[in-house]
Amino acid sequence: MSAVPVPQVAARVAQVAAGRRGRARRRRSVTGVLLLVVVALFATSLMVGQTFYGPGEVWRVLIGEPVPGASFTVGELRLPRATLGLLTGLAFGLGGVTFQTLLRNPLASPDVIGISSGASAAAVVAIVVFGLRDGAVSLVAVAVALATAAVIYGLSYRHGVAGTRLILIGIGIAAMLNSVVSYVIVRAAQWDLPMAMQWLNGSLNNATWSDVVPLLAALVLAGGVLLLLGRALDTLRLGDDTASALGIAVERSRLLLIGTAVVLIAFGTAATGPIAFVAFLAGPIAARVVGPGGSLQVPAALMGATLVLAADLVGQFLFDTRYPAGVITGVLGAPYLIYLLIRTNRAGGSL
């Protein structure tokens, strides 16, 4: 067997290095564009409404100068709403892509496998049955979302966690929880229905700084942990055996990643309700625009923020009737879910 000539080896190495540099440049460029889009949508959310305020007036409000009319409208109404939308999108995008990468399946999204359904069922029961409100509802939603994730993980564990088994069990748990929601809604008193339905649809209406602060804390802490575990997440994508050979503590890393992602999704859901399909869509869309190779955590988080902020603007101003952001993202996400199931079935996959 003849040896490969050195010039050919050098040319091949140079070609691979050039490809890596090109993919890195594309990743940086696309991430920068996504960041600019998020900033533009955030600024637009502060400027537009029944009264339009220009960039100068908005900036003066942001730096604390009194501006007649704008100080209240922008500072007390639009700014908490836009901030909550931004943080929720970041949380859903980052948490969703963590699940999808870890389980190597685009269907492994928190709103598909039942975690968001757990938070929804808990919130509806808390509102309708126990008469809880505001922070108490959020606390119950977070606790039950964590418990739902633990149950799904426990039922799917058998000498490790297979992505397909976890997804199927999660879909079954979600169906059960959605049945609970339907039953409670049917039996609810008329005065409880508006709050319960607003929570179920996923909405930024009535956003306040008290909603923003817990989510910001969760995003800083849980999001920081997920970013620090980015190398372990990318390695686990190669398979348990490969990750273990590369020095990753597989089960410990998987549990930590899942637990942290669930915390992030739970706090986001508790703040706004389950804004449908954001966690499901953000990762695949980011993967398409960014290209292969490298971590999707930051691009997916920015894509999640883009989806929530854009959906809120569309729901407020594009139609005669105002729609919650979750209704708009649901209209976008449902066809993609059907397409993904059909494509997977044609490819011969089980999911």
Side-chain angles (χ1 to χ4, degrees), residues 33-268:
V33 170
L34 284 174
L35 180 59
L36 291 176
V37 170
V38 170
V39 171
L41 288 170
F42 186 85
T44 302
S45 298
L46 299 182
M47 291 188 292
V48 300
Q50 291 184 345
T51 302
F52 177 82
Y53 295 102
E57 293 172 299
V58 170
W59 176 250
R60 289 169 58 195
V61 172
L62 293 179
I63 62 176
E65 293 184 11
V67 181
S71 292
F72 175 76
T73 303
V74 175
E76 300 298 327
L77 299 179
R78 296 180 188 174
L79 185 58
R81 182 185 187 115
T83 305
L84 187 62
L86 171 65
L87 297 178
T88 302
L90 293 173
F92 284 166
L94 181 55
V97 80
T98 298
F99 273 92
Q100 290 166 329
T101 303
L102 186 63
L103 300 174
R104 302 188 292 279
N105 194 317
L107 284 174
S109 169
D111 41 12
V112 174
I113 63 175
I115 295 170
S116 297
S117 297
S120 300
V124 170
V125 170
I127 293 168
V128 174
V129 178
F130 297 104
L132 301 181
R133 294 292 183 268
D134 302 328
V137 175
S138 299
L139 186 62
V140 171
V142 169
V144 175
L146 291 169
T148 303
V151 169
I152 294 170
Y153 187 89
L155 291 175
S156 62
Y157 188 88
R158 186 184 304 164
H159 308 296
V161 175
T164 300
R165 186 164 61 243
L166 185 143
I167 292 167
L168 290 174
I169 290 172
I171 290 173
I173 296 291
M176 294 169 56
L177 292 169
N178 289 334
S179 298
V180 172
V181 170
S182 299
Y183 175 77
V184 173
I185 289 294
V186 168
R187 304 286 300 219
Q190 186 174 359
W191 51 83
D192 286 328
L193 283 175
M195 183 177 179
M197 293 307 298
Q198 177 180 328
W199 207 97
L200 284 175
N201 288 328
S203 174
L204 301 178
N205 294 336
N206 304 319
T208 63
W209 291 115
S210 62
D211 300 317
V212 170
V213 173
L215 180 55
L216 177 60
L219 187 61
V220 171
L221 296 176
V225 170
L226 288 178
L227 292 177
L228 289 174
L229 291 172
R231 177 182 171 273
L233 178 63
D234 290 337
T235 307
L236 285 169
R237 182 169 52 182
L238 303 175
D240 290 359
D241 293 338
T242 302
S244 180
L246 293 173
I248 300 297
V250 173
E251 283 305 318
R252 185 178 64 187
S253 298
R254 180 184 285 118
L255 278 172
L256 187 55
L257 284 163
I258 289 178
T260 310
V262 169
V263 168
L264 204 53
I265 294 294
F267 272 90

